[in-house]
Amino acid sequence: MAGLSDSTPALRVRLQESTQGVVVVLGGDLDLATFGLLERAMAPLLERPDVRILEFDLADLTFMDSSGLSVLLRAVSAGKQVRLRNPSAIVRDLVTATGLSAVVEVEP
Amino acid sequence: MSRLTLHRLAVVVLVVGLLVTIALAVLSRVNYLRNEQRLVTAQTQLIGTTLAAAPLDVSRRLDSAVRVVAATQDATQFEPLLSSALAPGGRYSSVLLFTLVDGTPRLLLTVGQPPMLSATSPQASAIIDSATKSDALQVTRLVDGSNQRIGYALSASGPHGAYVGYAEQLLPTNRRLALPPGSPLRGSDYALYFGPAATPSALIATNASRLPLQGIRSTTRVPFGSSSLTLTLSPQGSLLGRFAQSVALAIAIGGTLFTVFATVLCERLVRRRTVAEELTTVSRRLYQAERSVAETLQHALLPRQLPDCPELEIAVRYLPGTDGIEVGGDWYDVVALDDRRVFFTIGDVSGRGLDAAILMGSLRTAINAYAVEGLDPGVILDKAGRLVDIALDGRFATVLCGRIDLGSGVAELANAGHPGPVLVTAGRSELVPTELGPPIGLGHSYATTRLRVAVGSTLVGYTDGLVERRGESITVGLERLRRAAGSAAGSAAGSGQSPGSVEALLDVLLADLIPQGPSDDVAVLGIRWRG
């Protein structure tokens, strides 16, 4: 399992709650090996009706593939408003290429 | 296997451990007993040596008294010389002096208490006779009920005849003797006998309640004048000490405990290993079973036959990825709706395994059914999305589908999150822009894009395994595909298919883009409109 043998985990997840909603700060790689960590962190948020906006801070996210997309889509499907902030070029291209820009906000 | 039965190895450990423990304990005990016996024997010998000196000591006073009388012929010396040797200060309870007249003893003096020996008895004559015949101290024992005495006799000759002195010493009444402090006999059970044998009647003294003595013991015979003394000793405690005494027991207990512990440990390890082996076998079988079911399912789900219509040339490829070991969710499909229209689909269910393959099958069936109904591609994607519940299991699907009119070459496309098709014309290739919606299942309304396909051009649909590479943007991969498709169309032979065929195109394209085989599954669909 990625991250278990390194001193820095392959994926870093930090949650920040505010009155506006929840900010999920991601760092590292979001892929098949690590997306479970994010899913588990987000599962309670998806259940809470008071959490309506989920903002993902992707400034430190270096990689994302379709497993990362599944986490975002799950939040959309659960009725949350999803925003992606500061995605890298690769992440932005992936989001555009899979038509996600129709259902998530990307800023910038 | 019940909790109480043991595996063979554990039984072996148990048996061997117990046998070794028993052997060591027995050896230890035997060794202890042997050493203890040696010590007892040595101690007894030592005490015997001490006893051997007794007669000399005991008879010294008598001896000098008799010699003096014999030498001086003066019997009056006898009593003064012995006064200090008489009880209660000395040993002798009585002393008799005899003189020999023509070989017949005649009692001259009696000093001290009356002797037990009758001076006229045959026993007296016998001992006097032996005394005159021998230089050695004559010793005899007299018993009267619980009283016993030991008698000593020795003779000395003078110028006018021989004299015999006879002394008696009290022996312990009731055969019980209080040991003085510091006596070497302390700490032992002993039995002292008069004579060469340890018979009950010969018993002088003992401290034991039961005779003969039991347990580790040693007997020594010590010459005592004309007779002997027999001493049997048995230590009350252990001469080697309590520690040495308990070593064998300690070995037995310790060895048994250790053996039991080792057996339990061994049993647990063997059981765990057995469980682990069983688990490995079971999981391997389960994995293989699932794998083969998924493969069978996937084989069954992919179309066996592609529609055979003169207006179209169709080629398909499916390459399972080398990375994953489970089956993926990619698919392609081409169905003839009627003699004028053909419907194609290329799709990708996220994730791998049986669940992905099952969803893929459901989508394929549903989409084909809607298509046959005559629904527009966009509407088909709307409806197919209802089969997908992303919130439930995080599984989503991207789909590109299109309906081609065989007469006009117009394709109506709808795209849900899927990479757009490449259109390859003679020497030119372009990425077809589509009105892209998100993956199906989010309630999005999908638009239809109209595309006019020129005669002889080929529409290539594919899944993202063909263009995605880690560390680079997908747009880079798409551009790479576009260029490769263009050059593949340009290149003639090389793949064994007839030059310029769609099959050849796909072969060259795949060889160019993923010569080592894809890491992720790849499905490719090429449709050429012949017009």
Side-chain angles (χ1 to χ4, degrees), chain A residues 21-42:
Chain A
V22 176
V23 176
V24 182
V25 184
L26 297 180
D29 294 347
L30 178 56
D31 57 18
L32 192 61
T34 60
F35 86 102
L37 181 66
L38 179 57
E39 269 204 325
R40 284 192 291 278
M42 288 193 46

Side-chain angles (χ1 to χ4, degrees), chain B residues 14-30 247-256 259:
Chain B
L14 181 68
V15 167
V16 167
L18 285 179
L19 284 179
V20 168
T21 299
I22 290 171
L24 285 178
V26 165
L27 277 175
S28 170
R29 180 87 186 140
V30 163
V247 164
L249 186 64
I251 288 178
I253 293 175
T256 304
T259 299

Side-chain angles (χ1 to χ4, degrees), chain A residues 97-108:
Chain A
T98 51
L100 250 72
S101 26
V103 290
V104 306
E105 291 172 39
V106 183
E107 38 178 280

